[in-house]
Amino acid sequence: MTLPRKHLFDLPPGVIYLDGNSLGPLPKGAAERAQRTITDEWGGQLIRAWNSAGWMALPQQVGDRIAGLIGAAPGSVATGDTLSIKVYQALAAALKMRPDRRVILSDSGNFPSDLYMAQGLIGTIDKGYELRTPAPQDVAEAITEEVAVVMLTQVDYRSGRMHDMAAITARAHAVGAVMIWDLAHSAGAVPVDLAGSNAEFAVGCTYKYLNGGPGAPAFIYVRPDIVDNIQPALSGWLGHDAPFAMEPEYRPAMATERMRVGTPPIVQLVLLDAALDAWEGVSMAEVRAASQVLSERFIREVEARCPTLRLASPRDPQARGSQVSFAFDHGYAAMQALIDRGVIGDFRAPDIMRFGFTPLYLDEADVVRAAEILEEVIGQELWRDPKYQTRSRVT
């Protein structure tokens, strides 16, 4: 076994970090890599660094490394911008592929930003488009010939419930719809086979399981056989086929590079590139197996120790991603008490205590100790302390 690899991460002493599903920890060497970029490249080479330090090639270089973790071909993943921007790009391009249809299908559990972007795009286009959001379990039967695009997050951000990518994509294609997958809680957490699924688009962020740091650039995948016909809604300078030709009319770059918009965030890309080193020599099958061992152990420990908590994630480990959620009426306060004692998870309204399991830096001893501390917080009602009742802006 090559897991865990705790020596590759800078975790504070005494902390059990169960929130890598929201923000991954700092990989060792990443800060030094960024410092070199700032001091030696930007500081020493100035604008020459776009060529001499390879800055211009960095988005594609990092995209290819991500592609290897999500079952995509080299050259099919572009990096940069934010996940919301990438959702907008994918959705706008997908709608152009089905001009005679007016329904965007998602689900009621999808991450709000994805739904917001769909609502905003509908308002911008103003051509009678409709967003439908059935319950997650009802999505398959809601995919009808009216649907232009199916846009789903594979792993639910609250519960960890996981859609069947192959089955849903096949259903969408059977009625002629375009498929978009949001991999925010999948990339680096569960095995993904984008090429095998035949989905047209996928998007994702890199600051969660990929440990790219706060504000790390997002990515977008476009199936290679369709990319040359994709019309980018955001026709930015860096998506042009020859940006330094300074042509007055937009001409999209070949392949997935056309989905780039603005100047790439070089320091953030360098941090992400360094973070991806931790994945060298690790298979996603190995990560998935280890995360299921950890999450199953955590569920057993918590249910034995804290009977007032209710499992809000699927019981079947095959049906959930790499997180476990428990519902508790006083979940926010309980999570603050837990964090105060060195076990970091997070909270999602209205009552979800959320825990992520990242085998790169967690082992079973961590999981058991976290459950022991949670038992103290719940059993002794330590969450009742007034200092845990005031909600911060970020929960």
Side-chain angles (χ1 to χ4, degrees):
M1 285 288 284
T2 60
L3 299 174
R5 296 177 160 192
K6 294 187 179 188
H7 64 286
L8 297 180
F9 295 89
D10 269 325
L11 282 163
V15 167
I16 299 173
Y17 195 61
L18 303 181
D19 208 12
N21 55 305
S22 191
L23 176 66
L26 175 65
K28 287 184 177 176
E32 291 80 2
R33 173 82 178 277
Q35 186 61 52
R36 288 198 305 273
T37 297
I38 293 169
T39 304
D40 299 345
E41 296 174 8
W42 178 22
Q45 301 173 46
L46 298 170
I47 199 168
R48 294 172 295 177
W50 283 105
N51 292 314
S52 59
W55 287 358
M56 207 61 169
L58 193 56
Q60 190 61 64
Q61 173 185 316
V62 173
D64 284 346
R65 299 188 77 183
I66 294 171
L69 296 174
I70 58 175
S76 65
V77 175
T79 59
D81 314 300
T82 68
L83 178 51
S84 293
I85 293 296
K86 294 309 179 194
V87 169
Y88 190 98
Q89 284 185 287
L91 186 55
L95 289 177
K96 289 181 181 179
M97 295 171 66
R98 299 294 183 269
D100 57 334
R101 300 188 183 196
R102 288 294 180 269
V103 175
I104 300 167
L105 184 73
S106 189
D107 69 48
S108 59
N110 203 353
F111 191 69
S113 187
D114 289 20
L115 302 181
Y116 301 160
M117 297 309 289
Q119 292 161 8
L121 180 59
I122 287 171
T124 300
I125 296 174
D126 194 23
K127 290 186 177 180
Y129 284 96
E130 172 190 355
L131 174 62
R132 294 180 185 172
T133 55
Q137 64 270 21
D138 298 329
V139 163
E141 65 184 41
I143 302 175
T144 66
E145 293 184 356
E146 297 177 281
V147 175
V149 182
V150 180
M151 179 184 70
L152 297 170
T153 298
Q154 185 187 18
V155 177
D156 184 274
Y157 77 102
R158 283 195 183 96
S159 69
R161 180 191 187 276
M162 190 157 61
H163 281 298
D164 186 327
M165 178 178 286
I168 292 289
T169 303
R171 173 62 184 166
H173 289 168
V175 301
V178 177
M179 189 74 231
I180 302 172
W181 287 104
D182 184 335
L183 304 179
H185 289 271
S186 304
V190 300
V192 177
D193 182 10
L194 277 180
S197 77
N198 210 34
E200 285 85 354
F201 299 93
V203 296
C205 57
T206 62
Y207 50 79
K208 300 181 190 294
Y209 294 97
L210 298 183
N211 311 303
F219 64 85
I220 184 168
Y221 162 86
V222 184
R223 203 175 70 201
D225 66 301
I226 65 170
V227 69
D228 288 341
N229 295 317
I230 295 301
Q231 302 174 46
L234 300 173
S235 46
W237 185 52
L238 265 296
H240 193 281
D241 188 46
F244 287 92
M246 305 298 179
E247 298 173 4
E249 300 297 328
Y250 180 75
R251 180 164 53 87
M254 297 300 291
T256 314
E257 289 293 279
R258 68 183 55 199
M259 306 307 280
R260 291 171 63 178
V261 182
T263 303
I266 294 302
V267 176
Q268 286 284 3
L269 279 166
V270 163
L271 285 167
L272 174 57
D273 194 36
L276 292 171
D277 289 345
W279 295 92
E280 293 296 325
V282 177
S283 73
M284 284 309 306
E286 183 181 11
V287 170
R288 177 63 166 162
S291 74
Q292 288 180 329
V293 168
L294 295 176
S295 60
E296 286 289 278
R297 180 66 184 272
F298 186 70
I299 291 171
R300 291 197 303 272
E301 293 287 340
V302 171
E303 290 188 327
R305 298 170 183 275
C306 308
T308 56
L309 302 189
R310 176 181 61 82
L311 182 65
S313 297
R315 177 74 58 181
D316 179 4
Q318 300 298 329
R320 65 173 185 264
S322 196
Q323 70 181 66
V324 171
S325 297
F326 283 93
F328 181 54
D329 287 344
H330 306 282
Y332 178 80
M335 183 57 72
Q336 303 320 299
L338 193 62
I339 292 171
D340 209 18
R341 287 157 178 81
V343 178
I344 300 180
D346 64 15
F347 172 82
R348 290 294 177 263
D351 59 358
I352 297 297
M353 300 178 69
R354 198 171 66 152
F355 304 91
F357 295 90
T358 47
L360 290 183
Y361 51 83
L362 289 172
D363 57 30
E364 284 197 71
D366 296 322
V367 165
V368 173
R369 182 57 186 149
E372 291 172 349
I373 297 172
L374 180 58
E375 181 181 20
E376 294 172 8
V377 167
I378 301 299
Q380 299 175 32
E381 298 190 345
L382 301 178
W383 53 266
R384 291 190 181 275
D385 190 312
K387 69 180 179 180
Y388 302 133
Q389 310 304 315
T390 302
R391 295 201 180 190
S392 301
R393 291 185 66 184
V394 177
T395 63

